[in-house]
């Protein structure tokens, strides 16, 4: 059970990495740009 | 100390003018304070040697907020303001040498696009179909508050057909453009719009690419120059006892027990009021006029996290001859990739980008009275974008080369003998905008505008940190631009009327 969970996690990670590198550079920059702002969203919502 | 007002509005930019006029109409004793000697902020006009130049804004599109203000004031807009339609809406000089003028009629524009890019005919139709609803409803959308989850839900319930635009907001302007258009020239024109909203195509809010369609609802120039927009609103509100005080700079917002109770002017005068409306950039309002020491830490963190919008240097020319132009506006577009490259490899590093993206306005084409008879005005806006602090340079030192650079571009692209016809040259650098209009870093569009700094993630028009404080202007609601700034004033006044009326 534990082993299969580990394998699934590893597959998900590998899939995410593959997906990330399949994106265009512009899309990656867009995601990074938005991602950097995520921690501030709760504060921004209440200002 | 003066304590005779219910409302003090800081800043006579469009948001300030609109909110002050509407509050006065609704019986609030209102004082509108402006630090400069004229009204309008970025939507203003100044005179030099008989030429009347527009400070920043160069056109009126999406008329609904403006019409709504006059309607709410109980006045007929046509009695106060004459809007001259611009048709063609603009001429284009694309990066590959393609040149054409875009007619105001969308069907005619579609035919013209089919002739310059036959392979794109279907893509353009799809694009137009996808954005049509948004283009038609943009006036209504920008005038509807969307500052909280409940307000956004209410908006969706009222106009369910706009829901898909909410989903499209997850994509960048570039992502959405590429979904429909393959032709690089058309892409470049659509991408140019994202700089209108203050961001490069790869970072801009997806639906901003549909702005290119909303222009077909009409692009106008106000007779008498852009200052006619705020001036006409104030004229219409004259009978409601609205007081306007020019050259009165606000230093601080006065607080008492966590609520705003007035303002302190630079000359030491205190003006006490029940309600304060700030039309100044939200960063300046919170971090300078109120001060971090008077704010909770989370609020300082929130307001500090916003990036400022980019600056747009402008060069204004007075000519003794008519320029050979086909339309009131001319845009020069770089390819979409180039627009992104300029952002990443120049702007972000503090370098001044080459002038690929620019817009030229020819106001005397619509209103010849702005210049002496037979003379003309051109306003050249670098859509660079331009960094506030150019690496190893200073805008005051760059002023002359900025003007000369614009003239060289116009010599090459528009009028080879322009130099011998120039009578007046004026330049506004990002530093000038900061000094004259109090736009920090020359950011005339307020705060950067993207998915996470729009609508409910932008500073709320009814401050949630300081009671009795309301905000209007480009750093609230849906960002900068004439219609959105006007709408921000309507929204702020609506909140106040609901809270106190």
């Amino acid at each position: 059970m534990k082993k299969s969970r580990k394998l699934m996690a590893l597959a998900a990670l590998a899939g995410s990495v593959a997906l990330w590198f399949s994106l265009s550079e512009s899309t990656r920059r867009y995601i990074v740009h938005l991602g950097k702002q995520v921690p501030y969203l709760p504060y921004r919502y209440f200002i | 100390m003066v304590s005779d007002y219910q409302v003090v509005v800081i800043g006579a930019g469009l948001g300030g003018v609109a909110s002050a006029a509407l509050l006065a109409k609704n019986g609030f004793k209102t004082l509108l304070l402006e630090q400069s000697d004229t009204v309008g902020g970025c939507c203003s006009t100044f005179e030099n040697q008989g030429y009347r130049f527009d400070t920043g804004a160069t056109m009126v599109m999406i008329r609904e907020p403006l019409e709504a203000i006059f309607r709410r004031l109980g006045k007929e807009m046509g009695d106060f303001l004459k809007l001259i339609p611009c048709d063609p809406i603009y001429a284009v000089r694309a990066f590959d040498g393609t040149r054409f003028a875009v007619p105001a009629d969308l069907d005619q524009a579609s035919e013209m696009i089919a002739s310059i890019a036959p392979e794109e005919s279907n893509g353009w139709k799809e694009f137009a179909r996808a954005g049509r609803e948004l283009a038609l409803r943009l006036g209504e959308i920008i005038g509807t508050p969307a500052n909280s989850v409940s307000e956004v839900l209410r908006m969706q319930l009222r106009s369910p057909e706009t829901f898909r635009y909410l989903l499209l907001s997850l994509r960048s302007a570039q992502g959405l453009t590429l979904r429909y258009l393959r032709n690089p020239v058309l892409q470049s024109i659509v991408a140019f719009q994202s700089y209108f909203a203050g961001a490069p195509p790869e970072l801009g809010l997806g639906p901003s690419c549909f702005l290119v369609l909303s222009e077909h609802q009409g692009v106008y120039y106000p007779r008498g120059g852009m200052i006619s927009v705020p001036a006409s609103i104030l004229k219409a509100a004259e009978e409601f006892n609205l007081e306007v005080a020019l050259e009165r700079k606000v230093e601080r917002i006065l607080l008492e027990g966590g609520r705003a109770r007035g303002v302190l002017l630079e000359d030491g005068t205190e003006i006490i009021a029940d309600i304060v409306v700030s039309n100044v950039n939200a960063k300046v309002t919170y971090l300078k006029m109120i001060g971090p020491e008077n704010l909770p830490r989370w609020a300082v963190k929130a307001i500090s996290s916003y990036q400022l919008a980019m600056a747009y240097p402008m060069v204004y020319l007075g000519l003794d001859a008519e320029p050979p132009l086909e339309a009131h506006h001319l845009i020069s577009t770089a390819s979409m990739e180039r627009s992104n490259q300029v952002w990443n490899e120049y702007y972000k590093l503090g370098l001044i980008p080459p002038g690929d993206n620019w817009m030229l306005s020819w106001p005397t084409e619509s209103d010849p009275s702005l210049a002496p008879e037979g003379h003309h005005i051109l306003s050249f806006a670098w859509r660079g974008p331009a960094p506030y602090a150019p690496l190893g340079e200073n805008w005051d030192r760059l002023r002359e080369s900025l003007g000369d650079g614009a003239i060289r571009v116009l010599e090459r692209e528009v009028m080879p003998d322009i130099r011998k016809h120039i009578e007046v040259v004026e330049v506004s650098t990002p530093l000038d905008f900061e000094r004259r209009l109090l736009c920090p870093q020359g950011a005339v569009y307020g705060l950067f505008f993207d998915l996470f700094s729009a609508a409910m993630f932008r500073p709320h028009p009814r401050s949630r940190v300081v009671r009795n404080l309301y905000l209007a202007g480009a750093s609230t609601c849906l960002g900068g631009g004439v219609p959105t700034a006007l709408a921000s004033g309507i929204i702020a006044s609506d909140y106040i009327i609901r809270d106190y009326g």
Side-chain angles (χ1 to χ4, degrees):
Chain A
M1 194 69 177
K2 259 187 183 174
K3 200 176 171 188
S4 65
R5 241 185 257 160
K6 264 187 191 170
L7 275 173
M8 272 163 67
L10 213 61
L13 186 69
S16 308
V17 171
L19 180 70
W20 177 256
F21 285 103
S22 71
L23 296 172
S24 70
E25 239 182 275
S26 275
T27 310
R28 274 188 256 161
R29 276 197 292 261
Y30 181 59
I31 294 169
V32 169
H33 171 77
L34 292 181
K36 278 185 188 165
Q37 298 180 69
V38 169
Y40 301 105
L41 292 185
Y43 307 115
R44 287 185 181 181
Y45 183 79
F46 288 105
I47 187 84
Chain B
M1 191 200 292
V2 186
S3 55
D4 204 16
Y5 300 97
Q6 280 175 286
V7 184
V8 171
V9 180
I10 310 167
L14 289 180
V17 164
S19 58
L22 293 171
L23 290 168
K25 156 75 179 165
N26 280 276
F28 289 84
K29 188 156 174 40
T30 305
L31 172 66
L32 174 59
L33 295 167
E34 167 57 39
Q35 53 93 28
S36 76
D37 59 358
T38 187
V39 297
C42 300
C43 183
S44 196
T45 305
F46 65 92
E47 188 164 342
N48 185 345
Q49 296 175 48
Y51 293 91
R52 289 173 59 74
F53 299 107
D54 293 323
T55 312
T58 59
M59 68 178 99
V60 175
M61 52 184 275
I62 314 169
R63 291 167 52 139
E64 284 90 337
L66 189 54
E67 287 169 346
I69 290 166
F70 281 96
R71 204 167 45 244
R72 287 169 180 227
L73 292 173
K75 305 287 180 190
E76 193 60 50
M77 188 170 85
D79 294 341
F80 296 87
L81 180 66
K82 166 83 176 148
L83 291 178
I84 303 160
C86 301
D87 190 4
I89 47 178
Y90 49 82
V92 177
R93 292 184 188 207
F95 62 95
D96 67 346
T98 310
R99 294 175 180 208
F100 55 93
V102 181
D105 182 82
L106 184 56
D107 292 332
Q108 282 180 27
S110 300
E111 279 170 30
M112 189 213 55
I113 283 163
S115 71
I116 58 164
E119 79 287 359
E120 198 65 288
S121 183
N122 283 336
W124 174 259
K125 274 185 200 154
E126 281 297 308
F127 176 76
R129 199 174 304 138
R132 190 180 158 78
E133 196 66 41
L134 184 68
L136 287 171
R137 288 173 173 266
L138 204 53
E140 179 194 323
I141 291 170
I142 61 176
T144 309
N147 303 299
S148 63
V149 172
S150 60
E151 283 179 350
V152 171
L153 286 176
R154 224 173 295 150
M155 181 199 263
Q156 295 306 320
L157 286 174
R158 209 164 29 200
S159 314
E161 54 284 355
T162 58
F163 182 67
R164 64 196 170 100
Y165 297 113
L166 200 64
L167 295 179
L168 292 179
S169 299
L170 297 173
R171 302 187 71 154
S172 68
Q174 174 166 315
L176 213 50
T177 305
L178 290 174
R179 179 170 156 181
Y180 298 103
L181 304 172
R182 293 283 168 270
N183 182 290
V185 172
L186 290 187
Q187 286 175 356
S188 78
I189 296 166
V190 174
F192 193 85
Q193 309 294 322
S194 87
Y195 270 124
F196 271 128
E202 68 179 17
L203 303 184
L205 193 66
S208 68
C209 68
F210 294 129
L211 276 176
V212 78
L213 298 170
S214 66
E215 286 160 356
H216 293 279
Q217 303 297 314
V219 168
Y220 303 88
Y221 187 75
R223 177 159 291 164
M226 292 305 292
I227 196 171
S228 301
V229 175
S232 63
I233 296 171
L234 291 175
K235 183 90 182 145
E238 245 173 19
E239 67 182 81
F240 308 121
N241 300 319
L242 167 62
E243 276 184 57
V244 183
L246 300 176
E247 299 183 86
R248 307 298 300 274
K249 188 174 177 189
V250 172
E251 198 66 40
R252 301 282 292 184
I253 293 173
L254 301 170
L255 301 174
E256 194 176 80
R259 64 176 65 218
R261 65 169 190 94
V263 295
L264 171 69
L265 301 186
E266 199 179 38
D267 64 8
T269 310
E270 282 189 4
I271 299 176
I272 306 301
D274 301 330
I275 300 161
V276 174
V277 180
S278 175
N279 187 54
V280 181
N281 184 293
K283 275 186 173 255
V284 176
T285 301
Y286 280 115
L287 299 177
K288 286 195 178 160
M289 291 182 167
I290 291 172
E293 68 281 7
N294 295 311
L295 296 168
R297 275 177 64 188
W298 68 263
V300 176
K301 207 167 177 175
I303 201 72
S304 306
S305 75
Y306 290 106
Q307 204 181 324
L308 287 162
M310 64 185 85
Y312 293 109
M314 289 188 71
V315 178
Y316 320 90
L317 303 173
L319 308 177
D320 67 4
E322 184 175 328
L325 291 165
E326 310 144 83
H328 183 123
H329 293 102
L330 166 66
I331 61 171
S332 164
T333 64
S335 70
M336 194 149 70
E337 296 73 35
R338 178 71 173 154
S339 291
N340 292 325
Q341 188 192 16
V342 156
W343 177 271
N344 292 311
E345 293 176 20
Y346 288 84
Y347 179 74
K348 278 173 77 174
L349 303 178
L351 301 171
I352 297 174
D356 303 34
N357 276 326
W358 47 267
M359 186 170 91
L360 186 68
S361 302
W362 176 26
T364 37
E365 199 263 344
S366 297
D367 183 358
S369 73
L370 295 170
E373 205 179 333
H375 293 228
H376 286 268
I377 289 172
L378 291 178
S379 297
F380 184 96
W382 292 103
R383 300 256 157 201
Y388 168 69
L391 205 61
E393 265 301 351
N394 175 306
W395 279 112
D396 284 336
R397 283 199 300 266
L398 288 169
R399 181 186 308 279
E400 213 169 298
S401 64
L402 184 68
D404 196 55
I407 294 167
R408 264 186 280 122
V409 169
L410 296 177
E411 264 179 331
R412 195 177 64 231
E413 301 285 336
V414 176
M415 196 174 176
D417 62 346
I418 194 167
R419 273 184 205 273
K420 70 176 190 199
H421 294 294
I422 295 174
E423 290 198 323
V424 181
V425 183
E426 279 268 354
V427 175
S428 275
T429 69
L431 271 180
D432 295 325
F433 279 119
E434 183 175 64
R435 289 166 187 151
R436 284 187 215 145
L437 305 176
L438 299 189
C439 299
Q441 302 195 4
V444 289
Y445 281 78
L447 306 176
F448 189 84
F449 190 79
D450 62 11
L451 179 62
F452 288 159
S453 46
M456 60 185 170
F457 296 122
R458 223 165 166 77
H460 202 283
R462 182 206 280 131
S463 173
R464 286 152 158 167
V465 191
V466 177
R467 276 173 289 155
N468 300 358
L469 172 68
Y470 294 79
L471 277 77
S475 42
T476 66
C477 302
L478 286 180
V482 172
T484 39
L486 288 169
S488 78
I490 299 176
I491 290 169
S493 64
D494 279 350
Y495 278 120
I496 295 170
I497 293 163
R498 208 179 309 153
D499 294 346
Y500 299 90

